[in-house]
Amino acid sequence: MENEISNSTPNTLPSDRIKLNVGGKLFETTISTLQSGGPDSLLSTLSTRPGHDPIFVDRDPEIFSVLLSLLRSNRLPSTACSFSKQELADEALFYGIDSHLRDAVSPPPLSGIDASIVSTIFPASDGLVSSFTAAADDGSVCIAHGGQISFYDHNLTHLSTVRTHLEDITSIRHVWPDVAAVGSESAAGIHFYNVSSARYIESIHWTDSTDPRIYKARVSSIADSSSQIFASFECPHRENCILSIDKSTLQISSEITRQSGSATKNTVPGKLTWLPETGAIIGSAVTCGAFGYSGYIRMWDPRNGEVVWETSEPGSGRSSRFGDSFADVDVDAGGLTLFKVCSKSGDLAVADLRRLGDDPWVYINEKNPSMRIIGGASNCVLHCYKSQVFVGREGSLEVWSKENNGDGEGLYRRNFVDKEEDSKRGVIRKIEGGGDRLFVSRENVEGIEVWESSHFSDAILV
């Protein structure tokens, strides 16, 4: 693609042409191609240099050839496979066109129907994953394994591993691009670590000098907004609460709720979700005993700590569902919808968060007889991402996608994401989306799976 300049080339070039000497190899291109890298890029700056002599750049010429092709066509040539992602990323960062490279190597928009496993991330040590968190904007991921955190960037390139002071990490949340908040079922407090520099930052504990029951409170779940971090704490005597922590100061700003965990409806929330549009925080708890599943879903207003809406199961919902409590719950924050999967029937139900009541659930029926759910959903995991609902049943993975039926009403359709051999990998324990990827961890299986859609998912057959 590049044109080497021979000794017979005149010293003058057309006004829109420019010569570069990269690592001893001569290139000829247009000023507009260099300026397509953006006004703040080094290449755009070089395009304004006066004179006709080749501009010397002391970098790798072979990688520059790849990046020049990227600027010309907005995609990487086949020769890019000769270099690692890190080599391409380092050179793109030097030239100031790293955003172009990121767009070129990013997977297509995530479509659960067309997703498949493209790779598996294995932490450097203690390969069994205890928890993980993915950044929604770029798909970078932090994996907790034992008492360590391994950090992978948007290219899924390993950047660092942090050895924390904890023996194990059971909850983790990406609260800043370089900072993760972690909690453990075996140690008190919520702890903050800079995963890029492998540095400990701060710890916060739930304490109350007037109440001797409040001690050694451990974190069960973590969520965050643009300005606050929300963490549910539980003490050895089952007292629990949700603390709101100011992001700018890492100080406790409020105690949203306090309850005793002696009853099912007052156990510590095992999952928290913040709703940007309403400012509310939703928490849910699920317990399983000799008589099956039970739990609650509760919505709080963080400004005053009051409960906005709640439901407990079993005991609520339509009569035919009495006793069929949910096995898991998740929230589509963008669509303001709440989903649950029933523990006995395995049915999926949806509720509109703008029209909540005593029985807000609409149960989604599978009209295809061959795809109807048979049996319960005791080992079931639910995750909402990009207007799709991913459900892990034992080892299988399925997606419910919303389609428009023509009259403005949405209709959810169910499809299997995985293949038969995928479902035999092990019981799915956690699903989380990040960027245009889906990450899945399984019980007693090392690493986490990376799922992406095919580049041909939007192709039109002719």
Side-chain angles (χ1 to χ4, degrees):
M1 287 187 177
E2 69 275 8
N3 297 321
E4 293 189 38
I5 311 301
S6 65
N7 293 330
S8 59
T9 302
N11 291 328
T12 60
L13 286 173
S15 59
D16 64 337
R17 304 275 283 279
I18 189 169
K19 293 184 291 185
L20 298 175
N21 181 344
V22 181
K25 188 173 183 178
L26 293 174
F27 295 84
E28 182 180 333
T29 185
T30 63
I31 292 176
S32 60
T33 296
L34 296 185
Q35 291 181 343
S36 66
D40 298 327
S41 68
L42 173 62
L43 294 179
S44 180
T45 302
L46 294 178
S47 69
T48 61
R49 291 280 184 91
H52 297 290
D53 293 332
I55 302 172
F56 179 73
V57 182
D58 191 16
R59 305 296 290 191
D60 188 311
E62 303 303 325
I63 299 182
F64 178 77
S65 175
V66 172
L67 298 180
L68 189 59
S69 179
L70 170 64
L71 292 180
R72 288 167 173 160
S73 61
N74 291 323
R75 59 179 179 269
L76 290 173
S78 58
T79 52
C81 63
S82 302
F83 308 97
S84 68
K85 290 182 178 180
Q86 193 59 50
E87 288 174 325
L88 294 173
D90 290 343
E91 292 298 290
L93 183 63
F94 172 81
Y95 292 111
I97 58 171
D98 46 307
S99 61
H100 289 68
L101 179 64
R102 179 177 300 185
D103 292 340
V105 300
S106 295
L110 180 64
S111 172
I113 298 175
D114 193 60
S116 60
I117 301 176
V118 297
S119 63
T120 302
I121 303 176
F122 295 99
S125 59
D126 295 329
L128 290 178
V129 176
S130 56
S131 187
F132 67 89
T133 179
D137 54 349
D138 65 354
S140 58
V141 61
C142 291
I143 303 176
H145 46 107
Q148 302 180 77
I149 308 170
S150 289
F151 178 45
Y152 300 80
D153 65 8
H154 67 280
N155 281 326
L156 302 184
T157 301
H158 177 258
L159 295 185
S160 63
T161 295
V162 184
R163 183 69 177 96
T164 72
H165 67 285
L166 302 171
E167 292 185 2
D168 66 318
I169 297 171
T170 52
S171 55
I172 183 170
R173 180 75 178 181
H174 223 145
V175 294
W176 284 295
D178 296 327
V179 177
V182 299
S184 173
E185 293 180 354
S186 61
I190 182 172
H191 314 279
F192 299 88
Y193 282 86
N194 187 308
V195 292
S196 293
S197 61
R199 180 173 56 90
Y200 165 78
I201 298 177
E202 184 66 85
S203 294
I204 297 175
H205 295 267
W206 179 33
T207 58
D208 187 344
S209 58
T210 64
D211 192 341
R213 300 172 301 172
I214 309 304
Y215 71 101
K216 293 184 178 179
R218 300 165 183 174
V219 169
S220 296
S221 57
I222 307 171
D224 72 315
S225 68
S226 58
S227 60
Q228 298 290 316
I229 299 167
F230 306 98
S232 61
F233 285 79
E234 183 181 35
C235 296
H237 290 297
R238 304 298 297 277
E239 286 74 20
N240 62 82
C241 82
I242 300 174
L243 291 183
S244 177
I245 302 167
D246 186 277
K247 272 190 172 181
S248 60
T249 62
L250 288 185
Q251 298 294 319
I252 298 174
S253 55
S254 65
E255 183 179 299
I256 295 176
T257 184
R258 183 185 295 196
Q259 54 190 8
S260 175
S262 57
T264 298
K265 64 179 181 180
N266 291 324
T267 54
V268 62
K271 183 180 285 188
L272 293 174
T273 304
W274 180 69
L275 300 177
E277 188 167 328
T278 64
I281 184 85
I282 291 183
S284 62
V286 183
T287 58
C288 182
F291 298 100
Y293 281 79
S294 59
Y296 71 81
I297 309 169
R298 195 166 291 142
M299 184 187 300
W300 293 272
D301 185 344
R303 294 167 295 186
N304 53 29
E306 294 183 358
V307 176
V308 178
W309 174 80
E310 65 179 321
T311 182
S312 298
E313 296 189 4
S316 65
R318 60 188 186 184
S319 58
S320 63
R321 299 285 173 174
F322 185 84
D324 193 2
S325 178
F326 55 80
D328 199 15
V329 176
D330 204 28
V331 182
D332 179 1
L336 288 178
T337 47
L338 178 66
F339 293 86
K340 70 172 183 177
V341 59
C342 299
S343 60
K344 292 182 179 179
S345 64
D347 291 343
L348 190 69
V350 58
D352 190 332
L353 291 175
R354 292 159 294 195
R355 292 188 290 272
L356 293 173
D358 293 336
D359 184 13
W361 302 106
V362 175
Y363 293 86
I364 306 174
N365 296 319
E366 177 56 66
K367 296 183 179 180
N368 187 341
S370 64
M371 295 183 65
R372 285 178 183 164
I373 301 166
I374 301 175
S378 56
N379 286 315
C380 198
V381 180
L382 197 64
H383 181 67
C384 300
Y385 191 64
K386 290 187 178 293
S387 302
Q388 302 169 91
V389 185
F390 295 91
V391 183
R393 301 180 191 272
E394 296 287 344
S396 64
L397 181 63
E398 65 187 46
V399 61
W400 294 77
S401 306
K402 194 172 185 179
E403 299 179 0
N404 197 307
N405 60 8
D407 58 3
E409 294 295 328
L411 179 68
Y412 284 92
R413 297 189 181 277
R414 174 172 170 254
N415 286 275
F416 294 106
V417 180
D418 55 358
K419 301 176 182 177
E420 184 178 356
E421 56 268 25
D422 296 331
S423 62
K424 298 178 182 179
R425 295 173 180 268
V427 176
I428 295 176
R429 285 306 178 201
K430 186 173 183 180
I431 307 170
E432 190 162 326
D436 283 303
R437 299 186 179 100
L438 196 71
F439 300 94
V440 177
S441 65
R442 300 178 187 264
E443 184 177 1
N444 297 325
V445 177
E446 293 187 353
I448 63 171
E449 300 166 358
V450 182
W451 294 70
E452 294 178 3
S453 297
S454 167
H455 282 277
F456 301 100
S457 59
D458 294 328
I460 300 175
L461 295 179
V462 179

